[in-house]
């Protein structure tokens, strides 16, 4: 956290009320930017989920009628998309983790620490799965599930079990 603190804070150019106003405005902007990243993450998930569902539906419906060379090309492309999805989720997870650490540092200078400290305590600090299951854990399972489906369909297409 010291590295974040050093990178975040500069020597004070404003004082008192003016400094607090700047901090609050920067905080609001940063939280809004963090929310936009989460929205983009949701949009990406919707795209990949729709794409993979369409591919699985198509391949499952026609896997016996499609020439094996074409089927293999579809499986490879779909597998690459599933892997890309998983990597993109990892990038979003890392970006959000960094953003929430910065929000935590900003909140240390505000009267309340809603996101970083209070919300995390309300969620049992991630120790009680009944209170909180990380979204990234759930998200990561989905592309892996599709990858297994593609392997299964490929094996069915080629008569391997």
């Amino acid at each position: 956290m010291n590295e974040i603190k050093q990178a975040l804070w500069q020597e004070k150019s404003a004082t008192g009320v003016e400094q607090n106003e700047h901090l609050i405005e920067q905080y609001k902007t940063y939280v809004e930017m963090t929310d936009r990243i989460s929205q983009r993450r949701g949009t990406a998930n919707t795209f990949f989920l729709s794409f993979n569902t369409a591919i699985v539906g198509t391949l499952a419906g026609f896997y016996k009628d499609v020439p094996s060379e074409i089927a293999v090309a579809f499986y490879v492309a779909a597998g690459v998309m599933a892997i890309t999805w998983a990597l993109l989720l990892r990038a979003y997870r890392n970006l959000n983790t960094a953003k929430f650490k910065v929000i935590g540092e900003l909140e240390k200078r505000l009267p309340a620490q809603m996101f970083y400290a209070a919300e995390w305590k309300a969620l049992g600090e991630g120790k009680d799965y009944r209170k909180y299951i990380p979204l990234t854990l759930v998200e990561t399972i989905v592309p892996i599930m599709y990858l297994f489906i593609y392997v299964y369909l490929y094996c069915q297409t080629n008569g391997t079990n």
Side-chain angles (χ1 to χ4, degrees), residues 57-120:
T58 301
L59 291 172
F62 300 108
Y63 76 92
K64 290 184 179 181
D65 300 329
V66 176
S68 62
E69 303 83 28
I70 294 173
V72 168
F74 268 95
Y75 296 131
V76 169
V80 167
M81 288 294 278
I83 291 167
T84 301
W85 186 9
L87 292 173
L88 187 63
L89 287 173
R90 181 174 181 249
Y92 276 124
R93 178 180 62 237
N94 293 344
L95 185 57
N96 276 346
T97 298
K99 286 193 172 296
F100 278 105
K101 285 179 181 178
V102 171
I103 287 171
E105 284 301 315
L106 288 169
E107 285 185 351
K108 286 179 182 177
R109 300 226 177 156
L110 294 174
Q113 290 185 307
M114 294 119 5
F115 288 130
Y116 195 72
E119 186 176 284
W120 190 235

Side-chain angles (χ1 to χ4, degrees), residues 3-159:
E3 293 172 353
I4 296 170
K5 225 184 261 187
Q6 289 173 346
L8 181 63
W9 303 111
Q10 58 183 333
E11 294 200 24
K12 298 176 184 176
S13 56
T15 57
V17 174
E18 186 180 287
Q19 181 180 355
N20 288 339
E21 287 174 0
H22 289 304
L23 177 61
I24 290 169
E25 285 306 311
Q26 287 178 323
Y27 176 79
K28 288 181 350 187
T29 301
Y30 198 76
V31 168
E32 184 179 323
M33 288 169 40
T34 303
D35 185 52
R36 286 184 187 165
I37 292 292
S38 295
Q39 289 173 2
R40 280 189 232 144
R41 180 180 181 167
T43 301
N45 280 335
T46 300
F47 166 76
F48 282 107
L49 186 62
S50 298
F51 173 84
N52 282 284
T53 301
I55 292 296
V56 166
T58 301
L59 291 172
F62 300 108
Y63 76 92
K64 290 184 179 181
D65 300 329
V66 176
S68 62
E69 303 83 28
I70 294 173
V72 168
F74 268 95
Y75 296 131
V76 169
V80 167
M81 288 294 278
I83 291 167
T84 301
W85 186 9
L87 292 173
L88 187 63
L89 287 173
R90 181 174 181 249
Y92 276 124
R93 178 180 62 237
N94 293 344
L95 185 57
N96 276 346
T97 298
K99 286 193 172 296
F100 278 105
K101 285 179 181 178
V102 171
I103 287 171
E105 284 301 315
L106 288 169
E107 285 185 351
K108 286 179 182 177
R109 300 226 177 156
L110 294 174
Q113 290 185 307
M114 294 119 5
F115 288 130
Y116 195 72
E119 186 176 284
W120 190 235
K121 286 205 183 302
L123 294 171
E125 296 178 336
K127 296 174 185 167
D128 184 353
Y129 73 91
R130 292 170 293 184
K131 287 185 178 181
Y132 179 72
I133 296 175
L135 179 60
T136 55
L137 175 66
V138 176
E139 283 178 326
T140 304
I141 291 170
V142 179
I144 292 168
M145 178 194 70
Y146 276 107
L147 211 48
F148 283 126
I149 291 170
Y150 297 136
V151 169
Y152 173 78
L153 289 174
Y154 173 77
C155 291
Q156 291 299 312
T157 301
N158 291 318

